[in-house]
């Protein structure tokens, strides 16, 4: 009986430890996000994250062995949240036009600049200095979310097949990445682009994305 009582005491203690670990992990991710939104990935240092959370730098590395691992975890959370938001819109039912879908994607990205900025760094930066285990876990979650979204796309746009629905998602990813890089410009370039004759070089992320997705879907429907 004494052993059973001891076991009962251990379970809540372990649960609290797990909750504490997750709370600290969340705190680190929130700090990384705040610093990234105020500056850039290159400017954020792990020491800055430690200072913002009041933790020792060594403690930060216990949770995330590299800066890339920290920000890939943040992207993982943001990407999962975005897929959930988009899928909620797609689940509303009915048959849509390509433009309706393009607008739904664009609207789902409103207020998601942090997400799209990090997404633009995914292959070239964030996945370059992380473990195989973290990368696989991340890719598995992306694959699962893509499968759900692809099925919903086929419901809204009956001309899509499983193959072309997946193609749409990959192309939207490419468009989001490219247009975010074009829109996220340095202050000096932003100042130059205010000149009237520089108008053709300005990028309206939402408008350009909507137009590009609409054109993509028209091409697939015409096949």
């Amino acid at each position: 009986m004494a052993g059973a009582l001891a076991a009962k005491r251990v379970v809540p203690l372990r649960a609290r430890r797990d909750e504490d670990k997750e709370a600290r992990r969340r705190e680190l991710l929130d700090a990384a996000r705040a610093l990234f939104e105020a500056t850039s990935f290159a400017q954020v240092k792990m020491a800055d994250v430690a200072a913002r959370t009041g933790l020792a730098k060594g403690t930060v590395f216990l949770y995330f062995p590299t800066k890339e691992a920290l920000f890939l975890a943040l992207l993982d959370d943001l990407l999962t949240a975005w897929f959930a938001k988009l899928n909620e819109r797609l689940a509303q039912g009915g048959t849509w036009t390509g433009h309706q879908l393009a607008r739904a994607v664009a609207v789902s990205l409103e207020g998601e600049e942090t997400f799209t900025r990090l997404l633009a760094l995914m292959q070239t930066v964030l996945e370059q200095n992380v473990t195989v285990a973290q990368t696989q876990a991340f890719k598995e979650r992306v694959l699962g979310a893509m499968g759900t979204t692809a099925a919903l796309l086929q419901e809204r746009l009956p001309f899509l097949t499983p193959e072309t629905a997946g193609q749409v998602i990959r192309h939207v990813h490419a468009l989001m990445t490219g247009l975010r890089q074009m829109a996220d410009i340095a202050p000096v370039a932003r100042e130059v682009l205010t000149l009237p004759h520089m108008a053709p070089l300005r990028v309206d992320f939402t408008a350009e994305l909507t137009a590009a997705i609409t054109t993509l879907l028209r091409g697939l429907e015409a096949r």
Side-chain angles (χ1 to χ4, degrees), residues 5 32 36 39 93 96 113 117 121-122 133 138 154 173 175 192 197 209 211 217:
L5 290 174
F36 177 71
T39 56
W96 291 9
E113 185 175 338
R117 285 178 62 206
L121 299 174
M122 185 175 76
F138 172 64
Q154 292 172 78
H173 174 194
L175 288 167
V192 170
H197 69 287
L209 183 66
L217 292 170

Side-chain angles (χ1 to χ4, degrees), residues 40-85:
S40 67
F41 177 82
Q43 291 174 289
V44 176
K45 308 299 180 188
M46 292 295 263
D48 300 330
V49 177
R52 190 176 182 92
T53 56
L55 298 172
K57 186 177 177 181
T59 302
V60 177
F61 282 109
L62 288 175
Y63 285 84
F64 301 101
T66 66
K67 185 171 77 166
E68 290 81 5
L70 171 60
F71 278 93
L72 184 61
L74 177 57
L75 175 60
D76 194 343
D77 284 357
L78 295 176
L79 184 59
T80 298
W82 174 72
F83 265 122
K85 184 195 297 187

Side-chain angles (χ1 to χ4, degrees), residues 65-196:
T66 66
K67 185 171 77 166
E68 290 81 5
L70 171 60
F71 278 93
L72 184 61
L74 177 57
L75 175 60
D76 194 343
D77 284 357
L78 295 176
L79 184 59
T80 298
W82 174 72
F83 265 122
K85 184 195 297 187
L86 178 61
N87 289 346
E88 184 178 358
R89 289 182 174 276
L90 292 175
Q92 291 176 3
T95 300
W96 291 9
T97 65
H99 183 70
Q100 281 178 297
L101 175 61
R103 281 296 303 157
V105 173
V107 169
S108 74
L109 289 169
E110 291 179 355
E112 298 288 352
E113 185 175 338
T114 301
F115 161 56
T116 55
R117 285 178 62 206
L118 277 177
L119 187 67
L121 299 174
M122 185 175 76
Q123 284 97 344
T124 58
V125 178
L126 302 185
E127 293 180 343
Q128 297 300 314
N129 193 24
V130 292
T131 64
V132 171
Q134 183 183 6
T135 303
Q136 182 172 351
F138 172 64
K139 295 295 188 184
E140 293 285 0
R141 281 187 286 274
V142 171
L143 187 62
M146 280 183 62
T148 301
T149 301
L152 289 169
L153 286 175
Q154 292 172 78
E155 292 178 11
R156 301 292 76 77
L157 299 172
F159 63 83
L160 291 178
T161 65
E163 180 182 351
T164 55
Q167 183 181 356
V168 168
I169 295 171
R170 291 191 299 274
H171 284 197
V172 168
H173 174 194
L175 288 167
M176 287 163 57
T177 299
L179 288 170
R180 174 50 61 202
Q181 289 175 335
M182 294 174 69
D184 192 19
I185 58 177
V188 63
R190 187 172 293 109
E191 182 178 345
V192 170
L193 292 183
T194 61
L195 298 172

